[in-house]
């Protein structure tokens, strides 16, 4: 996975956060193994691949025939809210809090080689952005390839 960013959706308010979550993308497999051990939903289940799929489809069109696509007025992207996968923040918070808590107390082998501080910072960023929206019934995903 090249890049990953947090996206939130409250009612029809879409926000793609600027911060890249590179440590999460780089260590997704190890974090998923850790999630299994902790008994929570794997972090990779919250990844949305719309941008990667769109880039792949666009690469199949010959450059001479490619025309710029109009941007969706709600997302500012060539795809709409309905094109993306969304997950309840409450489910994601369970996973994020379990991972964060475990990483604060341990140095698990599943993410050996990771910069521990950067990994915790990325998880904390997600938690900080999602926590205020959780009670609103908002949704989120981790946008791959953006």
């Amino acid at each position: 996975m090249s890049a990953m960013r947090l996206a939130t959706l409250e009612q029809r308010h879409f926000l793609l956060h600027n911060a890249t979550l590179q440590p999460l993308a780089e260590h997704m497999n190890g974090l998923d193994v850790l999630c299994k051990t902790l008994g929570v939903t794997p972090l990779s289940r919250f990844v949305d691949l719309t941008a990667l799929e769109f880039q792949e489809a666009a690469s199949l069109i010959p450059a001479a025939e490619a025309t710029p696509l109009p941007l969706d007025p709600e997302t500012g992207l060539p795809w709409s809210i309905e094109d993306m996968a969304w997950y309840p923040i409450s489910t994601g918070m369970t996973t994020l809090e379990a991972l964060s808590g475990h990483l604060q107390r341990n140095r698990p082998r599943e993410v050996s080689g990771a910069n521990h501080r950067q990994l915790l910072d990325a998880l904390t960023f997600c938690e900080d952005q999602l926590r205020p929206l959780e009670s609103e019934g908002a949704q989120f995903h981790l946008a791959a390839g953006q």
Side-chain angles (χ1 to χ4, degrees):
M1 216 172 300
S2 57
M4 190 178 329
R5 291 169 49 195
L6 179 67
T8 55
L9 181 63
E10 182 185 11
Q11 305 296 328
R12 297 292 297 182
H13 179 69
F14 168 81
L15 179 60
L16 183 61
H17 296 264
N18 287 328
T20 58
L21 304 170
Q22 201 62 32
L24 300 185
E26 288 175 15
H27 298 283
M28 186 65 69
N29 291 338
L31 290 168
D32 276 356
V33 171
L34 201 50
C35 286
K36 185 176 181 181
T37 302
L38 297 170
V40 295
T41 304
L43 192 62
S44 64
R45 289 251 179 95
F46 304 114
V47 173
D48 175 72
L49 301 174
T50 304
L52 293 176
E53 291 167 347
F54 184 84
Q55 290 165 359
E56 187 175 318
S59 73
L60 299 175
I61 299 171
E65 297 174 24
T67 57
L69 292 172
L71 299 181
D72 180 83
E74 287 180 300
T75 65
L77 301 168
W79 51 89
S80 70
I81 289 169
E82 288 78 18
D83 294 326
M84 297 178 255
W86 295 100
Y87 307 94
I89 286 178
S90 56
T91 307
M93 285 297 286
T94 302
T95 293
L96 293 168
E97 289 168 348
L99 285 170
S100 186
H102 189 74
L103 290 172
Q104 287 172 27
R105 295 183 306 274
N106 303 285
R107 299 252 177 204
R109 68 179 181 282
E110 292 86 353
V111 290
S112 62
N115 180 313
H116 207 72
R117 175 58 27 216
Q118 289 178 353
L119 207 48
L120 276 169
D121 287 348
L123 291 167
T124 301
F125 171 81
C126 292
E127 288 179 76
D128 290 348
Q129 301 306 311
L130 297 178
R131 189 170 287 112
L133 299 173
E134 185 176 10
S135 63
E136 307 298 319
Q139 300 176 78
F140 86 108
H141 68 245
L142 299 171
Q146 298 190 343

